[in-house]
Amino acid sequence: MFTLENLPKLAHEFFCEVADLSQLTNSSLFLCRSDGVPLYVKNELNSDFDDASVGALLGGVWQAARAMASFIPESSLGEEYRLSFDTSDKGIYIVPIDLSGEEVYLGLIYFNEVNPGMVKAKLRDLSWRLQEFWSLVNIKEDKSNANLFNNITDEEMDNLFAATIQ
């Protein structure tokens, strides 16, 4: 079964081989854990920045926004929240993703964008597709592990345990 330790490899596979990122020009895409550790970074910006710093800030700003949202009366944190800090052509957009009970954040820093609504919709679509991809990989992995011991005989099991006892 895939775990968060395997997520950087899986994220790289998803973003490089499955997802279409062609519409995300003039931007940097980040996937980070809730503690801010970057799991995947695609930097298309012509600026110098440290991936770890951006990941930590991304995770921190989400946690701060979530804390502020707790003050909203009659609000449920189970609702689909997203965070946007932008002008008409540049900004930051963050969406949470639940991967088998672990929350990660998908963020985008963009500039010179003609259609920021399309970029935000693309990021939300990527988040849903990544979540679906993660669950499909987990199901496939679970099924392959379920068949791991199907063809083992009683004699092989006896020999296995007899060898460990001696």
Side-chain angles (χ1 to χ4, degrees):
M1 180 175 207
F2 278 94
T3 63
L4 282 183
E5 290 79 34
N6 300 338
L7 186 54
K9 180 179 178 258
L10 185 65
H12 181 78
E13 180 183 337
F14 174 77
F15 288 114
C16 293
E17 298 174 20
V18 177
D20 176 18
L21 302 180
S22 63
Q23 296 172 325
L24 300 179
T25 57
N26 297 329
S27 63
S28 287
L29 180 72
F30 295 90
L31 181 68
C32 71
R33 296 186 329 205
S34 59
D35 62 1
V37 173
L39 300 169
Y40 177 83
V41 178
K42 181 180 185 270
N43 183 4
E44 297 289 327
L45 299 176
N46 293 328
S47 63
D48 292 329
F49 59 84
D50 178 33
D51 296 349
S53 296
V54 172
L57 290 168
L58 191 75
V61 75
W62 184 266
Q63 296 297 328
R66 171 171 277 158
M68 290 185 68
S70 70
F71 298 121
I72 300 171
E74 309 259 343
S75 176
S76 166
L77 288 180
E79 295 176 35
E80 187 177 316
Y81 279 98
R82 53 209 175 268
L83 181 68
S84 182
F85 182 78
D86 56 8
T87 64
S88 60
D89 70 333
K90 60 186 169 289
I92 302 165
Y93 193 62
I94 307 169
V95 295
I97 306 171
D98 181 279
L99 301 179
S100 302
E102 295 289 333
E103 190 170 69
V104 297
Y105 309 123
L106 184 61
L108 186 72
I109 300 172
Y110 61 93
F111 74 101
N112 288 338
E113 183 57 54
V114 176
N115 188 349
M118 182 270 308
V119 169
K120 291 176 181 180
K122 177 68 175 176
L123 193 71
R124 286 190 308 273
D125 179 62
L126 282 173
S127 71
W128 298 324
R129 290 180 60 211
L130 177 59
Q131 191 170 9
E132 183 177 329
F133 181 75
W134 176 266
S135 64
L136 290 174
V137 168
N138 275 334
I139 289 169
K140 182 179 176 184
E141 188 71 17
D142 287 345
K143 284 183 180 179
S144 69
N145 285 340
N147 295 328
L148 193 58
F149 297 105
N150 280 356
N151 295 330
I152 195 164
T153 66
D154 289 339
E155 182 181 348
E156 290 171 323
M157 287 298 288
D158 290 342
N159 291 341
L160 177 67
F161 286 111
T164 58
I165 293 174
Q166 295 175 359

